[in-house]
């Protein structure tokens, strides 16, 4: 399997900050092919602009060792070292909700059997892109769906302000003109480096002047904000108590998050990507409702709820069926292979309200559904006793949703479908007008 030009955020390691934004589009976006085409083009431009790292340059794991005490880095370690480079500014991914994708398919009732529309249709037909199971309920809670979730942005960086700049730029196209060259080819421009020492209020003053200038220059450009009905959720997250060696952090419960991620790049690709290089997102916002109670428990009691040791994050061989690991660490009964996903969750919030923004990539949404069903004692992985996940006594799920993440190649192919269709309509209209004038 190759990366097939997958969106870079899927396979890249965690950076210090992330921004998650879920968007509902205006109603006219679903009835106008020209608008849909322009939205897809805008998304592609954004991904090219705000991805200073290309997934195709991530090399497959190929560990080599030398004799004696010296040891060369594996390719995965080299990739991690690369991402520690502060010059890598922003990495982003864009996903699309099921209603938006199905609406695109409706625009083309007849399509090529080996094209992108057939690929997407097969995802839905083969239950690789399923509906979010909002009907599930358990002893300690449920999984409410965030309705009308048309587009999701996942933006990550080692700098919080760069997450903000990228997010702001998505909605305001005039800001895509590389303010100060921050994101040019993964390196800070000379002007950007000079700006780095400025105080925040000075920096914002310069940015505001730049924005005003760009507004005047780009009156006729595509402004995404005009087609957004509302931002359903905008959450900025951070890696809490990051382990620099492992590259993952800890939830506010004190337990590691992401321990179960596949260790090598090749295994990550197997877990997160379809054979076409696409992926599927599960985004869920959890708020810690009983954190004080959880911390009042002994370490042993906490570990029994999670199913891992708190300090070393070692899975308990005698974990309870009600533990979180016991409910979501699932094995396919036929292949005996574990259902693996690539987690990129983040801690979010403040002293008053905080929690975990669960975010992951998978080759199929069915794996997510199996895990969610298991958490509430339902589905094919449920125990006879219908054990529920006791971690849901600590955290409450506010909302969730599934999203389709096309590869860069397939996103471009979707745009091509609209361009070809609209061009055909224009030619037909021109021919009709010509025939009418002849009469």
């Amino acid at each position: 399997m190759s990366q097939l030009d997958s969106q870079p955020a899927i396979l890249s390691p965690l950076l210090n900050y992330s921004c998650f934004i879920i968007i509902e589009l205006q109603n006219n976006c679903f009835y106008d092919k020209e608008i849909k085409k322009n939205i897809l083009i805008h998304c592609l431009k954004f991904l090219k602009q705000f991805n200073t790292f290309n997934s195709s340059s991530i090399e497959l794991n190929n560990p080599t060792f030398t004799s004696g005490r010296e040891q060369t880095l594996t390719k995965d370690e080299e990739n991690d070292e690369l991402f520690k480079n502060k010059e890598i500014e922003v990495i982003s991914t864009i996903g699309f909700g099921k209603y938006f994708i199905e609406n695109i398919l409706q625009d083309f009732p007849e399509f090529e059997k080996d094209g992108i529309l057939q690929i997407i249709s097969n995802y839905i037909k083969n239950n690789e892109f399923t509906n979010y199971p909002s009907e599930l309920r358990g002893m300690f809670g449920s999984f409410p769906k965030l309705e009308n979730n048309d587009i999701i942005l996942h933006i990550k960086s080692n700098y919080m302000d760069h997450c903000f700049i990228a997010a702001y730029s998505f909605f305001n196209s005039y800001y895509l003109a590389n303010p100060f060259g921050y994101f040019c080819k993964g390196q800070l421009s000379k002007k950007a480096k000079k700006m780095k020492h400025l105080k925040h209020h000075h920096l914002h003053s310069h940015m505001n002047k730049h924005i005003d200038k760009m507004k005047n220059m780009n009156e006729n450009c595509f402004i995404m904000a005009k087609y957004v009905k509302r931002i359903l959720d905008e959450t900025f997250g951070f890696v809490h108590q990051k382990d620099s060696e492992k590259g993952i952090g800890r939830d506010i419960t004190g337990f590691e998050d992401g321990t179960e991620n596949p260790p090598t790049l090749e295994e990550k690709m197997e877990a997160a990507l379809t054979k076409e290089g696409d992926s599927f997102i599960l985004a869920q916002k959890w708020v810690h409702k009983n954190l004080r109670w959880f911390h009042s428990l002994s370490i042993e009691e906490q570990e029994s709820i999670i199913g891992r040791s708190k300090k070393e994050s070692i899975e308990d061989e005698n974990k309870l069926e009600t533990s979180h690991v016991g409910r979501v660490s699932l094995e396919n009964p036929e292949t005996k292979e574990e259902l693996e996903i690539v987690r990129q969750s983040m801690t979010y919030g403040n002293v008053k309200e905080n929690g975990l923004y669960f975010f992951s990539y998978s080759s199929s949404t069915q794996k997510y559904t199996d895990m969610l069903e298991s958490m509430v004692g339902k589905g094919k992985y449920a125990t006879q006793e219908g054990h529920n996940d006791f971690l849901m006594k600590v955290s409450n799920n506010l909302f969730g949703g599934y999203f389709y993440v096309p590869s860069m190649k397939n996103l471009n192919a979707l745009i091509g479908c609209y361009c070809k269709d609209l061009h055909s309509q224009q030619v037909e209209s021109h021919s009709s007008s010509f025939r009418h004038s002849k009469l």
Side-chain angles (χ1 to χ4, degrees):
M1 178 186 292
S2 65
Q3 287 106 314
L4 295 171
D5 205 21
S6 61
Q7 294 192 33
I10 300 172
L11 299 176
S12 60
L14 280 179
L15 299 182
N16 292 337
Y17 302 98
S18 280
C19 174
F20 309 97
I21 302 178
I22 301 178
I23 302 162
E24 178 184 359
L25 295 172
Q26 296 280 5
N27 292 339
N28 63 333
C29 297
F30 298 93
Y31 306 108
D32 192 317
K33 290 184 178 180
E34 185 71 30
I35 293 177
K36 270 180 274 193
K37 181 198 76 172
N38 289 333
I39 288 174
L40 294 173
I41 290 174
H42 178 76
C43 289
L44 183 62
K45 286 182 177 179
F46 176 85
L47 289 169
K48 290 181 177 180
Q49 181 80 25
F50 289 96
N51 268 315
T52 53
F53 191 82
N54 193 322
S55 64
S56 62
S57 61
I58 304 177
E59 298 187 53
L60 284 174
N61 183 46
N62 184 21
T64 56
F65 300 91
T66 57
S67 58
R69 297 179 61 185
E70 294 184 0
Q71 175 179 309
T72 60
L73 290 175
T74 68
K75 291 298 182 184
D76 287 300
E77 290 170 335
E78 289 176 1
N79 292 329
D80 289 341
E81 288 296 318
L82 177 60
F83 277 92
K84 290 175 185 177
N85 181 353
K86 297 298 183 181
E87 298 300 320
I88 294 178
E89 302 297 329
V90 169
I91 304 172
S92 56
T93 284
I94 296 177
F96 302 97
K98 196 163 187 279
Y99 180 79
F100 184 68
I101 291 299
E102 288 178 332
N103 185 260
I104 289 176
L105 291 177
Q106 290 173 8
D107 285 340
F108 306 95
E110 296 182 4
F111 46 77
E112 298 176 3
K113 292 185 178 180
D114 58 347
I116 177 59
L117 297 173
Q118 183 65 63
I119 291 171
I120 295 174
S121 179
N122 288 341
Y123 287 150
I124 297 173
K125 181 181 178 180
N126 299 332
N127 289 325
E128 293 174 86
F129 189 15
T130 58
N131 293 321
Y132 185 73
S134 56
E135 73 284 354
L136 287 177
R137 297 194 65 86
M139 296 172 58
F140 311 116
S142 59
F143 308 109
K145 178 185 176 183
L146 192 60
E147 298 293 339
N148 306 317
N149 49 358
D150 299 318
I151 296 178
I152 189 168
L153 301 182
H154 176 208
I155 302 168
K156 56 185 182 180
S157 175
N158 281 326
Y159 305 98
M160 174 71 91
D161 57 335
H162 290 179
C163 287
F164 170 77
I165 291 171
Y168 187 88
S169 299
F170 180 81
F171 297 95
N172 303 279
S173 303
Y174 51 77
Y175 205 51
L176 281 173
N178 261 347
F180 316 125
Y182 266 101
F183 305 100
C184 282
K185 298 180 181 178
Q187 295 184 354
L188 295 173
S189 68
K190 292 181 180 179
K191 191 169 184 179
K193 289 179 179 179
K194 290 179 180 178
M195 298 294 291
K196 294 290 282 186
H197 71 279
L198 292 178
K199 297 289 186 180
H200 276 291
H201 64 278
H202 289 146
L203 182 58
H204 287 302
S205 175
H206 282 277
M207 286 183 176
N208 289 333
K209 290 180 182 179
H210 179 82
I211 290 171
D212 291 337
K213 181 179 178 181
M214 294 307 298
K215 279 182 179 178
N216 296 328
M217 293 173 59
N218 295 272
E219 291 181 354
N220 297 320
C221 71
F222 181 83
I223 306 298
M224 183 67 194
K226 294 193 298 185
Y227 301 98
V228 174
K229 187 173 184 178
R230 57 178 172 153
I231 295 177
L232 300 175
D233 184 73
E234 180 178 6
T235 300
F236 282 81
F238 57 93
V239 180
H240 177 244
Q241 295 183 351
K242 186 175 183 179
D243 186 318
S244 57
E245 292 185 5
K246 293 183 179 180
I248 57 177
R250 292 178 180 268
D251 178 46
I252 304 178
T253 57
F255 285 81
E256 275 189 2
D257 185 77
T259 307
E260 281 290 310
N261 273 348
T264 69
L265 182 61
E266 189 168 21
E267 290 173 307
K268 286 185 175 73
M269 290 164 56
E270 187 70 28
L273 301 180
T274 69
K275 63 180 182 180
E276 303 294 339
D278 301 328
S279 189
F280 298 96
I281 289 170
L282 167 59
Q284 289 184 318
K285 193 170 186 177
W286 293 80
V287 61
H288 294 324
K289 59 182 179 179
N290 285 322
L291 201 58
R292 185 178 297 177
W293 166 77
F294 183 79
H295 286 307
S296 71
L297 302 176
S298 67
I299 298 297
E300 290 75 17
E301 289 173 319
Q302 292 179 19
E303 291 174 341
S304 69
I305 292 176
I306 302 298
R308 287 185 173 276
S309 61
K310 189 169 187 178
K311 185 177 180 181
E312 300 86 1
S313 196
I314 299 173
E315 185 173 335
D316 184 358
E317 293 182 0
N318 300 312
K319 57 185 176 293
L320 302 178
E321 292 285 1
T322 56
S323 70
H324 180 61
V325 175
R327 300 286 7 106
V328 300
S329 183
L330 307 177
E331 186 179 273
N332 188 311
E334 297 178 0
T335 64
K336 303 301 181 182
E337 294 180 352
E338 189 172 338
L339 302 186
E340 291 193 314
I341 60 177
V342 176
R343 298 165 175 83
Q344 298 209 20
S345 306
M346 285 272 172
T347 298
Y348 77 90
N350 49 43
V351 174
K352 184 178 180 181
E353 182 177 282
N354 49 68
L356 182 75
Y357 200 102
F358 182 88
F359 194 90
S360 63
Y361 295 99
S362 172
S363 58
S364 166
T365 59
Q366 187 57 51
K367 287 189 281 187
Y368 298 139
T369 300
D370 288 339
M371 293 177 184
L372 296 177
E373 286 178 343
S374 178
M375 289 176 69
V376 294
K378 305 286 197 313
K380 60 183 178 182
Y381 291 96
T383 61
Q384 289 184 348
E385 297 81 2
H387 290 110
N388 277 227
D389 188 341
F390 272 29
L391 187 57
M392 292 182 71
K393 296 172 67 175
V394 182
S395 298
N396 181 40
N397 183 220
L398 299 179
F399 62 77
Y402 294 157
F403 300 87
Y404 164 62
V405 184
S407 66
M408 300 292 280
K409 175 184 175 182
N410 285 340
L411 178 55
N412 197 55
L414 276 177
I415 295 169
C417 292
Y418 279 103
C419 290
K420 183 179 179 180
D421 183 72
L422 291 168
H423 177 70
S424 299
Q425 290 180 18
Q426 289 174 357
V427 171
E428 184 178 341
S429 176
H430 178 74
S431 299
S432 178
S433 298
F434 180 75
R435 287 193 298 270
H436 183 73
S437 64
K438 293 286 284 184
L439 294 173

